[in-house]
Every structure is written in C-alpha cells, then in structure tokens.
Amino acid sequence: MTRFDPSDPRNFGVPEGSPIYSLKPEDRRIIMQARGRIAPQAEFARFWDIVLSDEQRQELGDDVDTCFERHPFSAIHLAKLKNCSTERAIVEIAYRLQHLSLVDYERLVKDALDGANEPTQKEGSFLPKWDRHTGKLRYRGKLCRTIKVAKATAIVPILDAFEKAGWPEFLEHLVDTGEDPQRVHQVVRNLKTDLAHISFAVQGDSISWSPTAS
C-alpha cells in the first residue's frame, strides 16, 4: 500500500511545471500544509477581510460570496491580483492569517520562491507561443499542435487569451459554460488532443498550462 505523501503536490492536483516542484521536500511540505489551512470557506472570508485591500476587493467584484463562487481557493485570486505564482500567494495568505511563522515566511519568500521560481520571471523561450495566423502552437521552438483556426471556435479563444496575457500559470473564465458546467472539461480535452510538450488542466473556473516531460 502506497503511503500518502503530504509533501507531494501531485496529491493535491497541483499541475506539473508549477514552481513548487523545484523546492526542497521540507519547503513543499510547509507550503502544502499552508494550502490546506487556508482552503476552508471560513478562511476565505478571513482572506477577504484581512488580506485584501479595499481596492483589491473592488477589483474582485466587491462581493465575497460571488468571488468565492467564481473560485473557492483564495490563492488563485491573490496570484492574479499580484501577478505572482500560486505558491507565493499561498505563503502570503497563510502568513497574514497566522498559519505560517515569520521565520518560515521570510525563508520561503527570500530563498525558495524569489526570482527564477516565479512564473512571471520565466524567460520568453520557456513560454509557449501561439500564432493565430498559422494555427501553430509551439513551446521552446517545438511544435505542440497545429490547429484549424476556422473550425476550432472554442479552442482558439483560449489560446488567444493566454498569448495576449503572456502565458501566466492560469486564466479564469475562458469558456462560456452556459447551463453545462462540464463544458469547460470537454473543451480542454479537445485542446489536449494530439498535443505535445505542454498540457492544459481545469481548476475550478480556471484553465492552467504546464510543460510535460516530452
């Protein structure tokens, strides 16, 4: 019987290629523990009241219930607001809500999550490149997939949005689900068909991308 490893981000659905995979096991364990502590809905309300500024709350729609329904994990919202990795947002929230010591907070921020580990610091060559005119999606010079733009009416807007945003770790609300909340999963499955070198995943209302081993 395989023992559950609380330091393994894969056990919590964290996409491959996220900055946390480059950290030491102890640092991963601390961040994953912090992730669990800030996950309950009651902690989302504390995040809203304590961590966010008035301007940030307004940017998120100025309504905690609507924001929670949009995505129930606070770090997703803070990462988008601050243009940082989800891991960095977890550490920030956990410290502000007193789930993380000052010693661990400073060490993680300065030593583990600073600089090259932040997704916003990636070199351009480490980001995908989507060319709408040719229908080609590339990663590090390698062809990931060729898409027929005229026919892929659900897929192309996703790639357009990622390309426009500079390929952040995730983007929200890229698929109009209407009355079918599973539609986003079907669209992403279609996007992943015959896809090489990178992958996409659904996380709540967000779509994330990550490199693959190939």
Side-chain angles (χ1 to χ4, degrees):
M1 183 176 179
T2 303
R3 185 177 179 182
F4 180 80
D5 183 0
S7 70
D8 189 350
R10 295 172 185 84
N11 291 327
F12 300 88
V14 179
E16 296 284 349
S18 295
I20 196 169
Y21 289 101
S22 65
L23 305 184
K24 298 176 182 178
E26 176 62 15
D27 291 338
R28 291 201 302 266
R29 183 187 64 79
I30 292 172
I31 292 176
M32 297 316 296
Q33 285 182 341
R35 186 182 193 277
R37 289 167 181 160
I38 68 173
Q41 185 171 0
E43 292 302 293
F44 192 97
R46 294 185 66 224
F47 154 75
W48 184 268
D49 292 334
I50 297 172
V51 178
L52 296 179
S53 66
D54 290 340
E55 292 77 11
Q56 289 171 328
R57 284 190 284 270
Q58 289 175 2
E59 190 171 344
L60 291 175
D62 209 20
D63 184 83
V64 62
D65 293 329
T66 301
C67 187
F68 180 82
E69 290 174 3
R70 194 159 62 239
H71 201 295
F73 189 42
S74 57
I76 294 292
H77 298 289
L78 189 64
K80 184 177 181 180
L81 287 169
K82 291 197 168 187
N83 194 28
C84 67
S85 70
T86 306
E87 290 80 3
R88 178 65 177 80
I90 289 171
V91 169
E92 180 72 23
I93 295 168
Y95 173 67
R96 295 283 302 277
L97 298 184
Q98 299 183 329
H99 294 306
L100 194 65
S101 71
L102 177 59
V103 172
D104 283 338
Y105 170 76
E106 291 184 338
R107 180 177 56 77
L108 287 170
V109 170
K110 294 178 181 178
D111 298 336
L113 294 173
D114 198 26
N117 287 327
E118 287 288 305
T120 54
Q121 301 293 323
K122 288 181 181 177
E123 295 290 339
S125 60
F126 288 88
L127 296 174
K129 176 64 179 176
W130 162 241
D131 189 332
R132 195 182 211 275
H133 299 291
T134 63
K136 296 185 183 298
L137 176 64
R138 298 180 183 274
Y139 178 66
R140 302 187 71 176
K142 299 177 181 179
L143 181 64
C144 301
R145 184 180 170 186
T146 300
I147 294 172
K148 295 180 180 179
V149 174
K151 294 183 177 181
T153 55
I155 291 174
V156 168
I158 294 174
L159 298 175
D160 286 347
F162 270 102
E163 185 68 23
K164 182 178 180 180
W167 290 91
E169 184 179 349
F170 64 88
L171 286 175
E172 296 179 317
H173 306 298
L174 297 180
V175 177
D176 182 6
T177 57
E179 297 182 357
D180 181 9
Q182 295 302 311
R183 185 169 183 270
V184 62
H185 293 274
Q186 182 59 56
V187 172
V188 170
R189 281 195 293 271
N190 294 340
L191 175 57
K192 293 167 64 176
T193 300
D194 298 325
L195 186 66
H197 310 302
I198 66 172
S199 186
F200 292 87
V202 178
Q203 295 183 319
D205 290 332
S206 304
I207 296 176
S208 64
W209 76 274
S210 61
T212 63
S214 60

